[in-house]
Amino acid sequence: MPRSTDRPTDPAAATASLAAEAALLEGRLTLLREAIDTVDARIDAVSETLSRLRRSVAAPTDGAASPDEEPATRRP
């Protein structure tokens, strides 16, 4: 808030102005916190989905070993 040197500052007006600005900043802070919470929830959901996809791709569906695994027992 720029201060004018032409006129004296009214303490009551300055207090009211600062209180109004503080209220606006608190409102913005609340919105930012809510947005961060939303992003965090979305990150968690995407991470869980990716984990499920990785598990489903890594797990063989027909009971056969994946190409990277060696069988536990070999038959001659």
Side-chain angles (χ1 to χ4, degrees):
M1 176 166 92
R3 190 171 174 185
S4 173
T5 56
D6 296 345
R7 56 192 167 137
T9 303
D10 178 18
T15 301
S17 176
L18 289 172
E21 190 171 344
L24 286 174
L25 290 173
E26 286 177 355
R28 288 181 185 162
L29 181 60
T30 299
L31 290 175
L32 288 172
R33 285 182 176 154
E34 290 171 358
I36 289 170
D37 289 343
T38 300
V39 170
D40 282 345
R42 184 69 181 136
I43 288 171
D44 289 343
V46 169
S47 294
E48 179 59 33
T49 300
L50 288 173
S51 294
R52 268 189 260 133
L53 288 171
R54 285 186 193 116
R55 285 191 301 266
S56 69
V57 169
T61 56
D62 61 357
S66 70
D68 295 337
E69 295 178 4
E70 289 189 28
T73 58
R74 292 187 182 186
R75 293 186 188 171

Short mmCIF file of all heavy atoms in Angstrom, two decimals:
data_model
loop_
_atom_site.label_atom_id
_atom_site.label_comp_id
_atom_site.label_asym_id
_atom_site.label_seq_id
_atom_site.Cartn_x
_atom_site.Cartn_y
_atom_site.Cartn_z
N MET A 1 0.85 -1.16 0.00
CA MET A 1 0.00 0.00 0.00
C MET A 1 0.90 1.23 0.00
O MET A 1 1.59 1.49 0.99
CB MET A 1 -0.89 -0.05 1.25
CG MET A 1 -1.77 1.14 1.43
SD MET A 1 -3.04 0.84 2.66
CE MET A 1 -2.27 1.43 4.12
N PRO A 2 0.92 1.99 -1.11
CA PRO A 2 1.77 3.18 -1.16
C PRO A 2 1.29 4.24 -0.19
O PRO A 2 0.10 4.42 0.03
CB PRO A 2 1.68 3.66 -2.60
CG PRO A 2 0.57 2.92 -3.21
CD PRO A 2 0.21 1.76 -2.34
N ARG A 3 2.24 4.93 0.37
CA ARG A 3 1.89 5.95 1.36
C ARG A 3 2.11 7.32 0.74
O ARG A 3 3.17 7.62 0.23
CB ARG A 3 2.78 5.76 2.58
CG ARG A 3 2.38 6.58 3.72
CD ARG A 3 3.16 6.18 4.93
NE ARG A 3 2.83 7.09 6.00
CZ ARG A 3 3.39 7.08 7.17
NH1 ARG A 3 4.31 6.20 7.43
NH2 ARG A 3 3.04 7.94 8.08
N SER A 4 1.09 8.13 0.78
CA SER A 4 1.17 9.47 0.23
C SER A 4 1.81 10.40 1.25
O SER A 4 1.49 10.38 2.43
CB SER A 4 -0.23 9.98 -0.12
OG SER A 4 -0.17 11.33 -0.50
N THR A 5 2.72 11.24 0.79
CA THR A 5 3.36 12.20 1.69
C THR A 5 2.63 13.52 1.72
O THR A 5 2.97 14.40 2.50
CB THR A 5 4.82 12.43 1.25
OG1 THR A 5 4.82 12.86 -0.11
CG2 THR A 5 5.64 11.17 1.39
N ASP A 6 1.59 13.66 0.87
CA ASP A 6 0.84 14.92 0.81
C ASP A 6 -0.11 15.10 1.97
O ASP A 6 -0.41 16.22 2.36
CB ASP A 6 0.05 15.00 -0.50
CG ASP A 6 0.97 15.05 -1.71
OD1 ASP A 6 2.17 15.30 -1.54
OD2 ASP A 6 0.46 14.81 -2.81
N ARG A 7 -0.60 14.02 2.52
CA ARG A 7 -1.60 14.15 3.59
C ARG A 7 -1.27 13.21 4.73
O ARG A 7 -0.65 12.15 4.51
CB ARG A 7 -3.00 13.87 3.05
CG ARG A 7 -3.13 12.55 2.40
CD ARG A 7 -4.42 12.41 1.63
NE ARG A 7 -4.24 11.20 0.82
CZ ARG A 7 -5.12 10.28 0.64
NH1 ARG A 7 -6.32 10.43 1.13
NH2 ARG A 7 -4.88 9.22 -0.06
N PRO A 8 -1.66 13.53 5.91
CA PRO A 8 -1.39 12.65 7.04
C PRO A 8 -2.22 11.36 6.93
O PRO A 8 -3.31 11.36 6.39
CB PRO A 8 -1.80 13.48 8.25
CG PRO A 8 -2.59 14.60 7.74
CD PRO A 8 -2.30 14.75 6.28
N THR A 9 -1.67 10.29 7.45
CA THR A 9 -2.36 9.00 7.41
C THR A 9 -3.31 8.90 8.59
O THR A 9 -2.92 9.14 9.73
CB THR A 9 -1.33 7.86 7.48
OG1 THR A 9 -0.42 8.01 6.40
CG2 THR A 9 -2.00 6.52 7.38
N ASP A 10 -4.53 8.54 8.27
CA ASP A 10 -5.54 8.32 9.31
C ASP A 10 -5.36 6.89 9.84
O ASP A 10 -5.53 5.93 9.08
CB ASP A 10 -6.94 8.51 8.71
CG ASP A 10 -8.05 8.24 9.70
OD1 ASP A 10 -7.78 8.24 10.92
OD2 ASP A 10 -9.19 8.02 9.23
N PRO A 11 -5.01 6.74 11.10
CA PRO A 11 -4.77 5.39 11.64
C PRO A 11 -5.99 4.47 11.52
O PRO A 11 -5.84 3.29 11.23
CB PRO A 11 -4.42 5.63 13.10
CG PRO A 11 -3.97 7.05 13.16
CD PRO A 11 -4.71 7.76 12.08
N ALA A 12 -7.18 5.01 11.68
CA ALA A 12 -8.38 4.18 11.58
C ALA A 12 -8.58 3.69 10.15
O ALA A 12 -8.92 2.53 9.91
CB ALA A 12 -9.60 4.96 12.04
N ALA A 13 -8.35 4.57 9.18
CA ALA A 13 -8.49 4.18 7.77
C ALA A 13 -7.42 3.17 7.38
O ALA A 13 -7.70 2.19 6.67
CB ALA A 13 -8.40 5.42 6.88
N ALA A 14 -6.20 3.38 7.85
CA ALA A 14 -5.12 2.44 7.56
C ALA A 14 -5.42 1.07 8.16
O ALA A 14 -5.20 0.03 7.53
CB ALA A 14 -3.80 2.98 8.08
N THR A 15 -5.94 1.08 9.38
CA THR A 15 -6.28 -0.18 10.05
C THR A 15 -7.38 -0.91 9.28
O THR A 15 -7.29 -2.13 9.07
CB THR A 15 -6.73 0.09 11.49
OG1 THR A 15 -5.65 0.73 12.19
CG2 THR A 15 -7.10 -1.19 12.21
N ALA A 16 -8.40 -0.17 8.86
CA ALA A 16 -9.50 -0.77 8.11
C ALA A 16 -9.00 -1.33 6.77
O ALA A 16 -9.39 -2.42 6.35
CB ALA A 16 -10.61 0.25 7.88
N SER A 17 -8.14 -0.57 6.11
CA SER A 17 -7.60 -1.02 4.83
C SER A 17 -6.76 -2.29 4.99
O SER A 17 -6.89 -3.24 4.21
CB SER A 17 -6.75 0.09 4.21
OG SER A 17 -6.15 -0.34 3.02
N LEU A 18 -5.91 -2.30 6.01
CA LEU A 18 -5.09 -3.48 6.25
C LEU A 18 -5.94 -4.69 6.65
O LEU A 18 -5.65 -5.82 6.24
CB LEU A 18 -4.05 -3.18 7.33
CG LEU A 18 -2.93 -2.24 6.90
CD1 LEU A 18 -2.07 -1.88 8.11
CD2 LEU A 18 -2.08 -2.87 5.81
N ALA A 19 -6.98 -4.47 7.42
CA ALA A 19 -7.87 -5.56 7.81
C ALA A 19 -8.59 -6.14 6.59
O ALA A 19 -8.73 -7.36 6.45
CB ALA A 19 -8.88 -5.08 8.84
N ALA A 20 -9.01 -5.26 5.67
CA ALA A 20 -9.67 -5.72 4.45
C ALA A 20 -8.70 -6.51 3.58
O ALA A 20 -9.05 -7.57 3.03
CB ALA A 20 -10.24 -4.54 3.68
N GLU A 21 -7.48 -6.03 3.46
CA GLU A 21 -6.47 -6.73 2.67
C GLU A 21 -6.14 -8.09 3.30
O GLU A 21 -5.98 -9.09 2.60
CB GLU A 21 -5.21 -5.89 2.55
CG GLU A 21 -4.22 -6.42 1.56
CD GLU A 21 -3.07 -5.48 1.30
OE1 GLU A 21 -3.16 -4.28 1.64
OE2 GLU A 21 -2.07 -5.95 0.75
N ALA A 22 -6.06 -8.15 4.61
CA ALA A 22 -5.78 -9.41 5.31
C ALA A 22 -6.91 -10.41 5.06
O ALA A 22 -6.66 -11.60 4.85
CB ALA A 22 -5.60 -9.16 6.80
N ALA A 23 -8.15 -9.93 5.08
CA ALA A 23 -9.29 -10.81 4.84
C ALA A 23 -9.23 -11.38 3.42
O ALA A 23 -9.50 -12.57 3.20
CB ALA A 23 -10.60 -10.07 5.07
N LEU A 24 -8.88 -10.54 2.44
CA LEU A 24 -8.74 -11.02 1.06
C LEU A 24 -7.64 -12.07 0.95
O LEU A 24 -7.80 -13.10 0.30
CB LEU A 24 -8.44 -9.86 0.12
CG LEU A 24 -9.61 -8.92 -0.21
CD1 LEU A 24 -9.11 -7.73 -1.03
CD2 LEU A 24 -10.68 -9.68 -0.97
N LEU A 25 -6.52 -11.82 1.60
CA LEU A 25 -5.41 -12.76 1.55
C LEU A 25 -5.76 -14.09 2.22
O LEU A 25 -5.40 -15.16 1.74
CB LEU A 25 -4.16 -12.15 2.19
CG LEU A 25 -3.52 -11.01 1.40
CD1 LEU A 25 -2.40 -10.37 2.22
CD2 LEU A 25 -2.98 -11.50 0.07
N GLU A 26 -6.50 -14.01 3.31
CA GLU A 26 -6.94 -15.25 3.98
C GLU A 26 -7.88 -16.04 3.08
O GLU A 26 -7.82 -17.27 3.03
CB GLU A 26 -7.62 -14.92 5.31
CG GLU A 26 -6.64 -14.52 6.39
CD GLU A 26 -7.31 -14.12 7.69
OE1 GLU A 26 -8.55 -14.06 7.75
OE2 GLU A 26 -6.58 -13.89 8.67
N GLY A 27 -8.76 -15.34 2.37
CA GLY A 27 -9.65 -16.01 1.43
C GLY A 27 -8.88 -16.69 0.31
O GLY A 27 -9.17 -17.83 -0.07
N ARG A 28 -7.88 -16.01 -0.22
CA ARG A 28 -7.05 -16.61 -1.27
C ARG A 28 -6.27 -17.80 -0.74
O ARG A 28 -6.12 -18.82 -1.42
CB ARG A 28 -6.07 -15.57 -1.82
CG ARG A 28 -6.76 -14.53 -2.67
CD ARG A 28 -5.76 -13.54 -3.20
NE ARG A 28 -6.44 -12.46 -3.91
CZ ARG A 28 -5.88 -11.30 -4.19
NH1 ARG A 28 -4.64 -11.05 -3.82
NH2 ARG A 28 -6.56 -10.38 -4.83
N LEU A 29 -5.78 -17.69 0.47
CA LEU A 29 -5.05 -18.79 1.09
C LEU A 29 -5.95 -20.02 1.24
O LEU A 29 -5.54 -21.15 0.96
CB LEU A 29 -4.50 -18.37 2.45
CG LEU A 29 -3.69 -19.41 3.22
CD1 LEU A 29 -2.47 -19.86 2.42
CD2 LEU A 29 -3.27 -18.85 4.56
N THR A 30 -7.18 -19.80 1.64
CA THR A 30 -8.14 -20.90 1.77
C THR A 30 -8.37 -21.58 0.42
O THR A 30 -8.36 -22.81 0.32
CB THR A 30 -9.47 -20.39 2.35
OG1 THR A 30 -9.22 -19.85 3.66
CG2 THR A 30 -10.50 -21.50 2.44
N LEU A 31 -8.53 -20.77 -0.63
CA LEU A 31 -8.73 -21.33 -1.97
C LEU A 31 -7.51 -22.13 -2.43
O LEU A 31 -7.64 -23.21 -3.01
CB LEU A 31 -9.03 -20.22 -2.98
CG LEU A 31 -10.38 -19.53 -2.85
CD1 LEU A 31 -10.49 -18.37 -3.84
CD2 LEU A 31 -11.50 -20.53 -3.11
N LEU A 32 -6.33 -21.60 -2.16
CA LEU A 32 -5.11 -22.32 -2.54
C LEU A 32 -4.97 -23.64 -1.78
O LEU A 32 -4.58 -24.66 -2.36
CB LEU A 32 -3.89 -21.44 -2.31
CG LEU A 32 -3.72 -20.28 -3.29
CD1 LEU A 32 -2.58 -19.36 -2.84
CD2 LEU A 32 -3.45 -20.79 -4.69
N ARG A 33 -5.30 -23.64 -0.51
CA ARG A 33 -5.22 -24.88 0.27
C ARG A 33 -6.21 -25.92 -0.26
O ARG A 33 -5.88 -27.10 -0.35
CB ARG A 33 -5.50 -24.60 1.75
CG ARG A 33 -4.33 -23.95 2.44
CD ARG A 33 -4.60 -23.72 3.90
NE ARG A 33 -3.43 -23.18 4.56
CZ ARG A 33 -3.47 -22.45 5.65
NH1 ARG A 33 -4.61 -22.17 6.23
NH2 ARG A 33 -2.35 -21.98 6.18
N GLU A 34 -7.40 -25.48 -0.62
CA GLU A 34 -8.40 -26.39 -1.19
C GLU A 34 -7.91 -26.94 -2.52
O GLU A 34 -8.08 -28.14 -2.80
CB GLU A 34 -9.74 -25.69 -1.35
CG GLU A 34 -10.43 -25.40 -0.03
CD GLU A 34 -11.65 -24.51 -0.18
OE1 GLU A 34 -11.96 -24.06 -1.31
OE2 GLU A 34 -12.31 -24.25 0.84
N ALA A 35 -7.30 -26.10 -3.33
CA ALA A 35 -6.78 -26.55 -4.63
C ALA A 35 -5.65 -27.56 -4.43
O ALA A 35 -5.57 -28.57 -5.14
CB ALA A 35 -6.30 -25.36 -5.45
N ILE A 36 -4.79 -27.31 -3.45
CA ILE A 36 -3.70 -28.25 -3.16
C ILE A 36 -4.26 -29.58 -2.69
O ILE A 36 -3.80 -30.65 -3.10
CB ILE A 36 -2.73 -27.65 -2.12
CG1 ILE A 36 -1.93 -26.52 -2.76
CG2 ILE A 36 -1.81 -28.72 -1.54
CD1 ILE A 36 -1.12 -25.69 -1.78
N ASP A 37 -5.28 -29.55 -1.84
CA ASP A 37 -5.92 -30.78 -1.38
C ASP A 37 -6.52 -31.56 -2.55
O ASP A 37 -6.42 -32.78 -2.61
CB ASP A 37 -7.00 -30.48 -0.34
CG ASP A 37 -6.43 -30.02 0.99
OD1 ASP A 37 -5.22 -30.23 1.24
OD2 ASP A 37 -7.20 -29.44 1.80
N THR A 38 -7.12 -30.85 -3.49
CA THR A 38 -7.71 -31.49 -4.68
C THR A 38 -6.62 -32.14 -5.52
O THR A 38 -6.77 -33.28 -5.98
CB THR A 38 -8.49 -30.46 -5.52
OG1 THR A 38 -9.54 -29.91 -4.70
CG2 THR A 38 -9.07 -31.08 -6.76
N VAL A 39 -5.52 -31.43 -5.72
CA VAL A 39 -4.41 -31.98 -6.50
C VAL A 39 -3.81 -33.19 -5.79
O VAL A 39 -3.53 -34.21 -6.43
CB VAL A 39 -3.34 -30.90 -6.77
CG1 VAL A 39 -2.07 -31.50 -7.36
CG2 VAL A 39 -3.89 -29.83 -7.70
N ASP A 40 -3.64 -33.11 -4.48
CA ASP A 40 -3.11 -34.25 -3.72
C ASP A 40 -4.01 -35.48 -3.86
O ASP A 40 -3.52 -36.60 -4.05
CB ASP A 40 -2.97 -33.90 -2.24
CG ASP A 40 -1.74 -33.06 -1.94
OD1 ASP A 40 -0.85 -32.97 -2.80
OD2 ASP A 40 -1.70 -32.48 -0.84
N ALA A 41 -5.32 -35.28 -3.77
CA ALA A 41 -6.25 -36.39 -3.92
C ALA A 41 -6.16 -36.99 -5.32
O ALA A 41 -6.21 -38.21 -5.49
CB ALA A 41 -7.68 -35.92 -3.63
N ARG A 42 -6.03 -36.15 -6.32
CA ARG A 42 -5.92 -36.63 -7.70
C ARG A 42 -4.61 -37.40 -7.90
O ARG A 42 -4.59 -38.44 -8.56
CB ARG A 42 -6.00 -35.45 -8.66
CG ARG A 42 -5.99 -35.83 -10.10
CD ARG A 42 -7.27 -36.55 -10.49
NE ARG A 42 -7.19 -36.93 -11.88
CZ ARG A 42 -7.56 -38.11 -12.35
NH1 ARG A 42 -8.10 -38.99 -11.55
NH2 ARG A 42 -7.44 -38.38 -13.62
N ILE A 43 -3.52 -36.91 -7.32
CA ILE A 43 -2.24 -37.61 -7.41
C ILE A 43 -2.36 -38.99 -6.76
O ILE A 43 -1.88 -39.99 -7.31
CB ILE A 43 -1.12 -36.78 -6.74
CG1 ILE A 43 -0.77 -35.57 -7.62
CG2 ILE A 43 0.13 -37.64 -6.50
CD1 ILE A 43 0.16 -34.58 -6.95
N ASP A 44 -2.99 -39.06 -5.60
CA ASP A 44 -3.19 -40.34 -4.93
C ASP A 44 -4.00 -41.31 -5.79
O ASP A 44 -3.68 -42.49 -5.90
CB ASP A 44 -3.87 -40.15 -3.57
CG ASP A 44 -2.97 -39.50 -2.54
OD1 ASP A 44 -1.73 -39.47 -2.74
OD2 ASP A 44 -3.51 -38.98 -1.54
N ALA A 45 -5.06 -40.80 -6.40
CA ALA A 45 -5.92 -41.64 -7.24
C ALA A 45 -5.15 -42.15 -8.46
O ALA A 45 -5.24 -43.34 -8.81
CB ALA A 45 -7.16 -40.87 -7.68
N VAL A 46 -4.39 -41.30 -9.10
CA VAL A 46 -3.62 -41.71 -10.27
C VAL A 46 -2.53 -42.70 -9.87
O VAL A 46 -2.31 -43.69 -10.56
CB VAL A 46 -3.03 -40.48 -11.00
CG1 VAL A 46 -2.02 -40.89 -12.05
CG2 VAL A 46 -4.14 -39.64 -11.62
N SER A 47 -1.88 -42.46 -8.74
CA SER A 47 -0.84 -43.38 -8.26
C SER A 47 -1.43 -44.76 -7.99
O SER A 47 -0.83 -45.78 -8.35
CB SER A 47 -0.20 -42.85 -6.99
OG SER A 47 0.51 -41.67 -7.26
N GLU A 48 -2.58 -44.80 -7.36
CA GLU A 48 -3.24 -46.08 -7.09
C GLU A 48 -3.62 -46.79 -8.38
O GLU A 48 -3.42 -48.00 -8.52
CB GLU A 48 -4.47 -45.87 -6.21
CG GLU A 48 -5.22 -47.15 -5.89
CD GLU A 48 -4.36 -48.18 -5.16
OE1 GLU A 48 -3.48 -47.79 -4.38
OE2 GLU A 48 -4.58 -49.39 -5.38
N THR A 49 -4.13 -46.06 -9.35
CA THR A 49 -4.49 -46.64 -10.64
C THR A 49 -3.25 -47.20 -11.34
O THR A 49 -3.28 -48.31 -11.88
CB THR A 49 -5.18 -45.60 -11.54
OG1 THR A 49 -6.36 -45.14 -10.88
CG2 THR A 49 -5.54 -46.17 -12.89
N LEU A 50 -2.17 -46.44 -11.32
CA LEU A 50 -0.92 -46.92 -11.94
C LEU A 50 -0.41 -48.17 -11.24
O LEU A 50 0.06 -49.11 -11.90
CB LEU A 50 0.13 -45.82 -11.91
CG LEU A 50 -0.09 -44.65 -12.87
CD1 LEU A 50 0.94 -43.56 -12.62
CD2 LEU A 50 -0.03 -45.12 -14.31
N SER A 51 -0.49 -48.20 -9.92
CA SER A 51 -0.05 -49.38 -9.18
C SER A 51 -0.88 -50.60 -9.57
O SER A 51 -0.34 -51.69 -9.77
CB SER A 51 -0.16 -49.15 -7.68
OG SER A 51 0.74 -48.16 -7.27
N ARG A 52 -2.18 -50.42 -9.66
CA ARG A 52 -3.05 -51.53 -10.06
C ARG A 52 -2.72 -52.01 -11.47
O ARG A 52 -2.67 -53.21 -11.73
CB ARG A 52 -4.52 -51.12 -9.99
CG ARG A 52 -5.13 -51.46 -8.65
CD ARG A 52 -6.63 -51.25 -8.66
NE ARG A 52 -6.84 -49.95 -8.03
CZ ARG A 52 -7.60 -48.98 -8.47
NH1 ARG A 52 -8.30 -49.13 -9.56
NH2 ARG A 52 -7.70 -47.85 -7.83
N LEU A 53 -2.48 -51.07 -12.37
CA LEU A 53 -2.14 -51.44 -13.75
C LEU A 53 -0.81 -52.19 -13.79
O LEU A 53 -0.69 -53.18 -14.52
CB LEU A 53 -2.07 -50.19 -14.63
CG LEU A 53 -3.41 -49.54 -14.97
CD1 LEU A 53 -3.18 -48.21 -15.67
CD2 LEU A 53 -4.24 -50.47 -15.84
N ARG A 54 0.17 -51.73 -13.03
CA ARG A 54 1.47 -52.42 -13.00
C ARG A 54 1.31 -53.84 -12.48
O ARG A 54 1.91 -54.77 -13.00
CB ARG A 54 2.46 -51.65 -12.15
CG ARG A 54 3.00 -50.42 -12.81
CD ARG A 54 4.10 -49.77 -11.96
NE ARG A 54 4.38 -48.45 -12.46
CZ ARG A 54 4.18 -47.33 -11.79
NH1 ARG A 54 3.71 -47.36 -10.56
NH2 ARG A 54 4.46 -46.16 -12.32
N ARG A 55 0.51 -53.99 -11.41
CA ARG A 55 0.30 -55.33 -10.85
C ARG A 55 -0.41 -56.23 -11.84
O ARG A 55 -0.08 -57.40 -11.97
CB ARG A 55 -0.49 -55.24 -9.54
CG ARG A 55 0.34 -54.73 -8.38
CD ARG A 55 -0.39 -54.91 -7.05
NE ARG A 55 -1.67 -54.23 -6.99
CZ ARG A 55 -1.88 -53.01 -6.50
NH1 ARG A 55 -0.86 -52.33 -6.00
NH2 ARG A 55 -3.07 -52.48 -6.47
N SER A 56 -1.39 -55.69 -12.55
CA SER A 56 -2.15 -56.53 -13.49
C SER A 56 -1.30 -56.92 -14.69
O SER A 56 -1.45 -58.00 -15.24
CB SER A 56 -3.43 -55.83 -13.94
OG SER A 56 -3.12 -54.72 -14.77
N VAL A 57 -0.38 -56.07 -15.12
CA VAL A 57 0.50 -56.39 -16.24
C VAL A 57 1.58 -57.37 -15.79
O VAL A 57 1.94 -58.28 -16.53
CB VAL A 57 1.14 -55.10 -16.81
CG1 VAL A 57 2.25 -55.42 -17.78
CG2 VAL A 57 0.07 -54.25 -17.48
N ALA A 58 2.06 -57.22 -14.58
CA ALA A 58 3.15 -58.07 -14.08
C ALA A 58 2.66 -59.47 -13.74
O ALA A 58 3.41 -60.43 -13.85
CB ALA A 58 3.79 -57.43 -12.86
N ALA A 59 1.42 -59.62 -13.33
CA ALA A 59 0.90 -60.92 -12.93
C ALA A 59 0.40 -61.68 -14.15
O ALA A 59 -0.42 -61.18 -14.90
CB ALA A 59 -0.24 -60.73 -11.92
N PRO A 60 0.90 -62.92 -14.35
CA PRO A 60 0.39 -63.70 -15.47
C PRO A 60 -1.06 -64.10 -15.22
O PRO A 60 -1.45 -64.40 -14.10
CB PRO A 60 1.30 -64.92 -15.51
CG PRO A 60 2.11 -64.90 -14.27
CD PRO A 60 1.96 -63.56 -13.63
N THR A 61 -1.85 -64.09 -16.26
CA THR A 61 -3.28 -64.38 -16.10
C THR A 61 -3.61 -65.85 -16.24
O THR A 61 -4.62 -66.30 -15.76
CB THR A 61 -4.09 -63.59 -17.13
OG1 THR A 61 -3.62 -63.91 -18.44
CG2 THR A 61 -3.96 -62.10 -16.90
N ASP A 62 -2.73 -66.64 -16.90
CA ASP A 62 -3.05 -68.05 -17.11
C ASP A 62 -2.28 -68.99 -16.20
O ASP A 62 -2.26 -70.18 -16.40
CB ASP A 62 -2.81 -68.43 -18.57
CG ASP A 62 -1.36 -68.24 -18.98
OD1 ASP A 62 -0.56 -67.76 -18.15
OD2 ASP A 62 -1.03 -68.58 -20.13
N GLY A 63 -1.62 -68.45 -15.20
CA GLY A 63 -0.87 -69.27 -14.27
C GLY A 63 0.53 -69.60 -14.76
O GLY A 63 1.29 -70.22 -14.05
N ALA A 64 0.86 -69.22 -15.96
CA ALA A 64 2.19 -69.49 -16.50
C ALA A 64 3.18 -68.46 -15.96
O ALA A 64 2.81 -67.35 -15.61
CB ALA A 64 2.16 -69.42 -18.03
N ALA A 65 4.42 -68.86 -15.91
CA ALA A 65 5.46 -67.94 -15.44
C ALA A 65 5.68 -66.87 -16.49
O ALA A 65 5.54 -67.10 -17.69
CB ALA A 65 6.75 -68.70 -15.19
N SER A 66 6.01 -65.71 -16.02
CA SER A 66 6.30 -64.63 -16.96
C SER A 66 7.62 -64.92 -17.64
O SER A 66 8.43 -65.69 -17.15
CB SER A 66 6.33 -63.28 -16.24
OG SER A 66 7.45 -63.21 -15.41
N PRO A 67 7.90 -64.30 -18.78
CA PRO A 67 9.13 -64.58 -19.51
C PRO A 67 10.39 -64.28 -18.71
O PRO A 67 11.42 -64.88 -18.96
CB PRO A 67 9.06 -63.66 -20.74
CG PRO A 67 7.65 -63.22 -20.82
CD PRO A 67 7.05 -63.38 -19.49
N ASP A 68 10.33 -63.42 -17.73
CA ASP A 68 11.50 -63.07 -16.94
C ASP A 68 11.78 -64.08 -15.83
O ASP A 68 12.86 -64.07 -15.26
CB ASP A 68 11.32 -61.68 -16.30
CG ASP A 68 11.25 -60.59 -17.36
OD1 ASP A 68 11.75 -60.83 -18.48
OD2 ASP A 68 10.70 -59.52 -17.06
N GLU A 69 10.81 -64.90 -15.51
CA GLU A 69 10.96 -65.84 -14.40
C GLU A 69 11.37 -67.21 -14.91
O GLU A 69 10.94 -67.67 -15.96
CB GLU A 69 9.64 -65.97 -13.63
CG GLU A 69 9.20 -64.71 -12.95
CD GLU A 69 7.86 -64.90 -12.25
OE1 GLU A 69 7.34 -66.02 -12.25
OE2 GLU A 69 7.34 -63.91 -11.74
N GLU A 70 12.20 -67.90 -14.12
CA GLU A 70 12.54 -69.26 -14.44
C GLU A 70 11.60 -70.17 -13.68
O GLU A 70 11.19 -69.85 -12.56
CB GLU A 70 13.97 -69.57 -14.03
CG GLU A 70 15.00 -68.88 -14.90
CD GLU A 70 16.39 -69.38 -14.59
OE1 GLU A 70 16.54 -70.54 -14.15
OE2 GLU A 70 17.32 -68.60 -14.79
N PRO A 71 11.24 -71.30 -14.23
CA PRO A 71 10.36 -72.22 -13.48
C PRO A 71 11.06 -72.72 -12.23
O PRO A 71 12.29 -72.86 -12.19
CB PRO A 71 10.13 -73.38 -14.46
CG PRO A 71 10.75 -72.98 -15.76
CD PRO A 71 11.57 -71.76 -15.54
N ALA A 72 10.27 -73.01 -11.19
CA ALA A 72 10.83 -73.45 -9.92
C ALA A 72 11.45 -74.83 -10.06
O ALA A 72 12.49 -75.11 -9.47
CB ALA A 72 9.74 -73.45 -8.86
N THR A 73 10.84 -75.69 -10.79
CA THR A 73 11.38 -77.03 -11.03
C THR A 73 11.41 -77.29 -12.52
O THR A 73 10.47 -76.93 -13.23
CB THR A 73 10.53 -78.12 -10.33
OG1 THR A 73 9.20 -78.04 -10.82
CG2 THR A 73 10.55 -77.93 -8.83
N ARG A 74 12.48 -77.95 -12.95
CA ARG A 74 12.58 -78.30 -14.37
C ARG A 74 12.41 -79.80 -14.54
O ARG A 74 12.92 -80.59 -13.77
CB ARG A 74 13.95 -77.88 -14.92
CG ARG A 74 14.12 -76.41 -14.97
CD ARG A 74 15.40 -76.09 -15.68
NE ARG A 74 15.60 -74.64 -15.68
CZ ARG A 74 16.56 -74.05 -16.33
NH1 ARG A 74 17.42 -74.75 -17.00
NH2 ARG A 74 16.68 -72.76 -16.29
N ARG A 75 11.72 -80.17 -15.57
CA ARG A 75 11.57 -81.59 -15.87
C ARG A 75 12.53 -81.96 -16.99
O ARG A 75 12.63 -81.24 -17.96
CB ARG A 75 10.14 -81.89 -16.32
CG ARG A 75 9.16 -81.68 -15.22
CD ARG A 75 7.80 -82.09 -15.65
NE ARG A 75 6.84 -81.71 -14.63
CZ ARG A 75 5.55 -81.77 -14.77
NH1 ARG A 75 5.04 -82.19 -15.90
NH2 ARG A 75 4.75 -81.43 -13.80
N PRO A 76 13.21 -83.09 -16.84
CA PRO A 76 14.15 -83.52 -17.88
C PRO A 76 13.47 -83.96 -19.15
O PRO A 76 12.37 -84.24 -19.30
CB PRO A 76 14.93 -84.65 -17.25
CG PRO A 76 14.28 -84.97 -15.95
CD PRO A 76 13.27 -83.94 -15.67
#
